[in-house]
Amino acid sequence: MKIVSALLTVVGGIGAALAVYWVLNKIAELLPSRWEERIKPLFYILPAFIAVAVYLVYPAIQTVINSFQDSTSTTFVGLDNYKSLLSSHSFQQTLINTLLWIIIVPVVTVVMGLIVATLADRLKPGAEKLSKTLIFMPMAISMVGAATVWRFVYAANPAGQNQIGILNAIWTKFGADPVAWLQQSTFHLNSLLLMVVLLWAQVGFSMVLLSAAIKGVPADTLEAARIDGANERQTFFQVVIPQIKGTIITVFITVVIGVMKIFDIVYVLTNGNFNTNVVGNEFFNQLNTNFNNGAAAAIVVLLMLAVVPIMFYQVRHFRAEEANA
Amino acid sequence: MTSTQATVATAPASAEAKTRRKKATSFDPNPAKAGWLTKLVIVFICLVWLLPTIGTFVTSFRTVDESNNTGWWTVLGGLGNLTLDNYKEAWTGAHFNTAYVNSFAIALPATFIPILIAAFAAYAFTFMEFRGRDALFLGIVAMLVVPNYVAIVPMLKIYASLGMNGTFPAVWLAHIGFGMSLAIYILRNYMATLPKTIIESAKIDGASHFQTFYRLVLPMSVPALASFAIFQFLWVWNDLLMALVFIGPGENEPVTIALTHLRGQLGQGWNLTTAGGFLSMLVPIAVFLALQRYFVRGMTAGAVKG
């Protein structure tokens, strides 16, 4: 029964989408041809613009308004949401944690991606493909799945019992007591362990992009450097790196944006406890646990402000590229 | 994988990459051969990468007692009692069966519909002349990085007044909105590389825009369509936040939510959690392995070559 009703919904939804275009096209064809030429482009882009307007533009405006209102969005409270968020100790910690993610994860993702790409590039084609596939595969699975896999790695049994988490199994082999890893907030150890999960999922992405860029570096520049007496390391840092700078920046920015919104991993592994909270998880808790629309909206506005510089970069970069093309 | 990840991946493309490729006269895939140290490091990294997944996989076939009391690596010394019960339990007991149906019911339309909409828009942006075209497209590019969290509170209210919360169309439409700018961006950039002369000669032969789009441009854009489709499908299938917010736990919940029910409940063993985890990964991994070529090509085409 479930399958049938789900199938009907799916077919209905896709059918409706197709019907929209069929109708729009028919309407355009009924018009006099002078009008048809003018109206058609608008009809073609109209659904796309409605989608973007309804799901991004309107909500962005509405969210800004909500952030100045109380928890049920009924009365205006000025800057109260921002004030109480920014003055609360726990939210400051949340911001610090998020900042740690933003600083550490993109850098490590790029560096590890570079290392793996460079090393794998030297293997035989079969071995290269296999190792890359293995490292890339976690990218396909969900963050919830990745978090589940890693929760098992970090699992801890009381001292004296067999350890079933592999990290504690190795740790206790050296005679130490088992550690509840995800509860260790000293030096943000648990946050770092959460970051490992994201790195596991993302290094493959960085590796694939960087590897393609490295392969695109013209061989004659490498040869020239070697003939001039540069060793492998000099060649890498002074010839390869400058030529793949664009890709490095791309990977970096992509990961930064993803990290700013990190939610699933923290939600599943600690739900922000033990001082591991991040902005994305705090947003969800304000919304779903505290039912505080005002605070949730204020968090999103802060996030949007943080993204604005990247948006300008994006638009500028696109323009430069179009000008070159 | 998140949508913005893909987003920016495609965005800052480099024009110099194009010229660079032309310059690369002699292409040597192995400029330097791997020494034993390189091989050792790669093998080590691969092992570290694989180990968590292997542990999950092995544990999902073990019994409650064994999985809770001995490490999964002990199977190296003897397999013990292996069982398929965990999968049976997760499939029916933890309702992964309906969750699977739900995930497909969410992911298929949420992949197909945005592609349809974006393809029309990308066609208009590439092959049609109208006022404000470039400004509108720039607006789309700017929207690429807007965090989709913005949509949650306002859309929940709208959905509530329409009685749509908890329904499939509620998530479809959200994913359509969020995926749209990336889809248009990828497809438009790809269509811009198609030979203009073919499209013009079709026009001269009297083909309408609709025919040109349907008969010529769509078939020629298959690689770009495929790579976006894979991105979007995996993103929607793997999404937890939008599913939690717009559908929530219950009869319409997808696999990602079903999996969160299996975490850390007392009396539940790791055997069940790992089986659920593995069930949730099956489809994305299958899609990834089968269509890896398109996936990688789309990613590199977007990010490196533009």
Side-chain angles (χ1 to χ4, degrees), chain A residues 2 9 21 55 63 73 121 136 140 151-152 162 200 202 215-216 219 243 250 254 261 311 317 321-322, chain B residues 4-5 12-13 20 26-27 30 49 59 69 102 117 142 149-150 157 159 172-173 188 238 252 263 284 288:
Chain A
K2 177 81 198 172
T9 326
Y21 283 97
Y55 282 90
T63 301
S73 311
D121 200 32
F136 192 45
R151 210 157 52 85
F152 190 46
N162 275 329
W200 182 71
Q202 286 199 331
K215 284 185 196 299
Q243 296 195 65
T250 301
T254 306
K261 304 189 303 178
M311 191 151 91
H317 184 95
E321 196 183 296
E322 288 289 285
Chain B
T4 16
Q5 228 177 48
R20 193 196 298 149
S26 65
F27 182 70
N30 274 336
W49 240 252
T59 308
N69 295 318
N102 293 334
I117 297 178
Y149 288 176
V150 296
K157 281 194 189 143
Y159 283 165
W172 294 345
L173 290 168
R188 185 252 176 213
N238 288 335
N252 281 349
R263 76 201 154 106
F288 170 75

Side-chain angles (χ1 to χ4, degrees), chain B residues 156-279:
Chain B
L156 274 175
K157 281 194 189 143
I158 294 184
Y159 283 165
S161 64
L162 295 172
M164 271 175 75
N165 278 322
T167 65
F168 293 133
V171 230
W172 294 345
L173 290 168
H175 284 303
I176 292 168
F178 302 146
M180 190 51 58
S181 24
L182 176 66
I184 297 177
Y185 187 77
I186 290 185
L187 294 180
R188 185 252 176 213
N189 277 359
Y190 188 85
M191 286 181 189
T193 65
L194 297 178
K196 283 258 188 328
T197 48
I198 299 184
I199 281 90
E200 270 156 22
S201 61
K203 211 174 191 176
I204 293 166
D205 290 346
S208 70
H209 272 303
F210 193 73
Q211 286 165 329
T212 317
F213 171 73
Y214 183 74
R215 297 255 171 82
L216 271 179
V217 175
L218 268 195
M220 287 164 88
S221 305
V222 163
L225 296 171
S227 50
F228 177 76
I230 296 164
F231 264 148
Q232 178 79 357
F233 179 84
L234 288 180
W235 191 58
V236 175
W237 182 280
N238 288 335
D239 161 73
L240 173 67
L241 182 62
M242 295 303 152
L244 271 178
V245 172
F246 292 129
I247 286 198
E251 58 160 349
N252 281 349
E253 69 179 20
V255 173
T256 42
I257 298 185
L259 181 57
T260 61
H261 298 323
L262 284 183
R263 76 201 154 106
Q265 284 170 17
L266 284 174
Q268 265 179 4
W270 280 104
N271 55 327
L272 202 57
T273 316
T274 49
F278 224 79
L279 278 177

Side-chain angles (χ1 to χ4, degrees), chain A residues 96-258:
Chain A
I96 292 173
N97 289 336
T98 312
L99 201 63
L100 279 178
W101 280 77
I102 295 175
I103 294 169
I104 297 174
V105 175
V107 173
V108 181
T109 308
V110 168
V111 171
M112 284 194 67
L114 262 181
I115 293 174
V116 179
T118 315
L119 295 183
D121 200 32
R122 297 165 180 227
L123 299 174
K124 294 195 190 80
E128 179 185 355
K129 191 159 188 284
L130 180 68
S131 57
K132 279 183 174 172
T133 305
L134 286 180
I135 293 169
F136 192 45
M137 203 144 57
M139 186 162 171
I141 71 175
S142 64
M143 294 288 181
V144 192
T148 308
V149 166
W150 281 86
R151 210 157 52 85
F152 190 46
V153 172
Y154 297 146
N157 272 353
Q161 291 183 20
N162 275 329
Q163 292 304 319
I164 56 166
I166 193 159
L167 191 57
N168 266 318
I170 297 170
W171 184 253
T172 51
K173 268 275 179 294
F174 294 106
D177 277 338
V179 177
W181 296 106
L182 294 177
Q183 299 176 17
Q184 306 305 311
S185 59
T186 325
F187 296 118
H188 293 279
L189 176 67
N190 47 4
S191 287
L192 292 173
L193 292 174
L194 296 184
M195 292 180 204
V196 168
V197 183
L198 187 59
L199 288 172
W200 182 71
Q202 286 199 331
V203 165
F205 159 77
S206 141
M207 171 202 71
V208 166
L209 289 195
L210 292 170
S211 164
I214 290 174
K215 284 185 196 299
V217 170
D220 44 6
T221 61
L222 297 179
E223 270 162 39
R226 289 192 184 115
I227 290 168
D228 287 348
N231 61 30
E232 280 303 297
R233 209 173 50 167
Q234 286 168 324
T235 316
F236 182 73
F237 283 104
Q238 288 166 26
V239 179
V240 177
I241 293 278
Q243 296 195 65
I244 61 170
K245 215 174 73 190
T247 310
I248 292 180
I249 294 175
T250 301
V251 173
F252 191 84
I253 291 184
T254 306
V255 179
V256 167
I257 294 184

Side-chain angles (χ1 to χ4, degrees), chain B residues 84-159:
Chain B
L84 278 173
D85 285 354
N86 305 323
Y87 284 92
K88 280 183 203 148
E89 174 63 20
W91 189 250
T92 49
H95 302 296
F96 267 66
N97 47 4
T98 44
Y100 248 80
V101 175
N102 293 334
S103 275
F104 276 113
I106 292 168
L108 291 178
T111 306
F112 178 81
I113 300 173
I115 290 182
L116 176 76
I117 297 178
F120 271 101
Y123 177 87
F125 278 124
T126 323
F127 300 114
M128 290 169 144
E129 295 289 339
F130 55 95
R131 226 195 301 163
R133 185 178 78 169
D134 297 342
L136 285 175
F137 188 70
L138 223 51
I140 295 275
V141 176
M143 284 296 130
L144 280 170
V145 293
V146 173
N148 49 29
Y149 288 176
V150 296
I152 292 176
V153 179
M155 288 327 289
L156 274 175
K157 281 194 189 143
I158 294 184
Y159 283 165

